[in-house]
């Protein structure tokens, strides 16, 4: 009886501790949380990067790496969406959700399929994608100066071979007003003729108004949610935005998903990694 009682107590204590930990965890952990609280399409799940290196490019990884497979599934799922995916805008609620990481690697996986791809760094306040660019002129230059031509600001193979880059350009004193310029609409209309896919890396949603302004030229909005960082209570608010059509063809990308948070495999549970 003493041994049996000790066994039951030994099982009960960790069970209670695990229950308390899970009750206090109010973050989005995986696909199940999104599917239970929203009706927004989930474009894909991206596994965690070893060492939390957000500068990782899938072109530098093995072809059977789970991260590469995650982006392949995203590319495949784009074919099921009932909307145009030529111009896609990436945003998030707050910084550090991984929107620039997703933008870069989605461009790479599309280029691997033989598509002509352009990345636009529309985060003109921070310019994350433009940091490794030696070009001074960029998006803000084109929007502010009507005499500047697209060929002067678009960097051929500026990101990597097969992917052109339009850097953010110098920081203007009025970034939001500049992005409201009709020249942005004219620029996107011209770029549609040149590229199969255009990826716009914009600002976080609740930091500044830039993402809402630029969204007018997009065909699709990628909302990046980082697992274990985004609060679950925000999902009903995101669902209201989706139903009110606040964003063009909103879809969620779940980033930094741990292996034990993935549900039903969806490409990872069947032998990948």
């Amino acid at each position: 009886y003493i041994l049996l009682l000790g066994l039951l107590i030994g099982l009960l204590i960790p069970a209670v501790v695990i229950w308390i930990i899970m009750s206090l965890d109010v973050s989005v952990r995986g696909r199940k949380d999104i599917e239970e609280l929203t009706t927004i399409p989930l474009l894909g799940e991206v596994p965690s990067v070893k060492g939390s290196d957000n500068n990782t490019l899938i072109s530098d990884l093995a072809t059977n790496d789970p991260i590469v497979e995650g982006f392949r599934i995203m590319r495949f799922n784009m074919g099921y969406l009932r909307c145009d995916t030529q111009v896609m805008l990436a945003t998030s609620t707050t910084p550090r959700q991984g929107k620039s990481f997703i933008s870069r690697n989605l461009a790479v996986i599309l280029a691997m399929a033989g598509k002509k791809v352009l990345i636009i760094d529309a985060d003109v306040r921070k310019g994350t994608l433009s940091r490794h660019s030696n070009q001074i002129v960029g998006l803000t230059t084109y929007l502010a100066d009507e005499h500047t031509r697209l060929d002067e600001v678009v960097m051929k193979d500026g990101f990597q071979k097969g992917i052109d880059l339009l850097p953010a350009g110098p920081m203007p004193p009025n970034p939001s007003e500049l992005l409201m310029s009709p020249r942005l609409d004219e620029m996107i209309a011209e770029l549609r003729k040149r590229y199969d896919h255009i990826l716009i890396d914009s600002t976080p949603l609740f930091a500044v108004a830039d993402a809402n302004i630029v969204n007018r030229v997009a065909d699709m909005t990628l909302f990046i949610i980082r697992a274990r960082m985004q609060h679950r209570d925000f999902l009903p608010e995101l669902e209201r935005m989706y139903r009110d059509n606040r964003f063009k063809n909103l879809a969620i990308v779940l980033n930094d998903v741990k292996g034990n948070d993935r549900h039903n495999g969806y490409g990872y549970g069947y032998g990948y990694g």
Side-chain angles (χ1 to χ4, degrees), residues 32-264:
K32 184 178 179 182
D33 293 331
I34 293 174
E35 292 179 341
E36 285 181 350
L37 297 172
T38 75
T39 59
I40 304 171
L42 180 61
L43 188 61
E45 299 170 275
V46 179
S48 298
V49 179
K50 292 179 181 179
S52 299
D53 186 2
N54 288 327
N55 294 318
T56 299
L57 286 178
I58 59 174
S59 54
D60 300 327
L61 302 175
T63 56
N64 62 344
D65 191 284
I67 299 173
V68 180
E69 192 62 30
F71 280 98
R72 279 203 196 99
I73 292 172
M74 285 175 58
R75 184 181 64 191
F76 178 76
N77 288 342
M78 286 169 60
Y80 285 98
L81 298 175
R82 297 181 179 179
C83 65
D84 192 356
T85 58
Q86 186 178 12
V87 181
M88 294 177 280
L89 179 139
T91 186
S92 58
T93 51
T94 57
R96 299 179 60 243
Q97 298 277 356
K99 62 180 181 58
S100 297
F101 168 75
I102 298 296
S103 299
R104 286 194 299 262
N105 286 293
L106 185 56
V108 172
I109 201 69
L110 290 170
M112 286 180 176
K115 302 296 183 181
K116 198 171 182 182
V117 183
L118 170 70
I119 295 183
I120 299 177
D121 190 353
D123 191 350
V124 296
R125 303 169 191 265
K126 194 174 180 181
T128 302
L129 295 179
S130 306
R131 289 176 181 172
H132 303 294
S133 167
N134 296 323
Q135 182 169 296
I136 299 175
V137 296
L139 176 62
T140 56
T141 311
Y142 181 83
L143 296 179
D145 183 8
E146 62 181 14
H147 300 293
T148 302
R149 295 176 300 149
L150 270 176
D151 294 333
E152 298 175 19
V153 293
V154 174
M155 299 176 63
K156 181 71 175 175
D157 296 332
F159 187 72
Q160 68 174 40
K161 188 172 177 59
I163 304 176
D164 295 349
L165 172 67
L166 177 52
M171 172 67 174
N174 56 340
S176 295
E177 288 76 9
L178 193 60
L179 292 171
M180 294 172 66
S181 168
R183 273 180 69 82
L184 178 63
D185 302 76
E186 297 167 6
M187 182 191 76
I188 295 297
E190 176 60 31
L191 292 173
R192 284 178 183 273
K193 302 173 185 177
R194 304 185 186 187
Y195 296 95
D196 298 313
H197 293 285
I198 301 168
L199 287 160
I200 304 175
D201 184 38
S202 189
T203 57
L205 182 65
F206 293 138
V208 287
D210 296 6
N212 292 277
I213 296 171
V214 179
N215 189 252
R216 73 183 188 276
V217 300
D219 299 319
M220 178 183 178
T221 306
L222 302 178
F223 202 93
I224 316 303
I225 292 178
R226 189 167 192 166
R228 303 174 309 283
M229 177 179 285
Q230 181 64 59
H231 204 290
R232 273 201 304 270
D233 287 350
F234 172 72
L235 292 179
E237 176 63 25
L238 187 61
E239 172 71 10
R240 282 191 287 273
M241 293 180 186
Y242 174 67
R243 293 182 179 275
D244 294 340
N245 294 318
R246 283 271 304 275
F247 297 97
K248 298 279 190 68
N249 297 308
L250 186 65
I252 292 175
V253 176
L254 188 57
N255 184 31
D256 197 17
V257 182
K258 296 290 185 184
N260 56 355
D261 288 332
R262 302 182 199 124
H263 296 269
N264 301 322

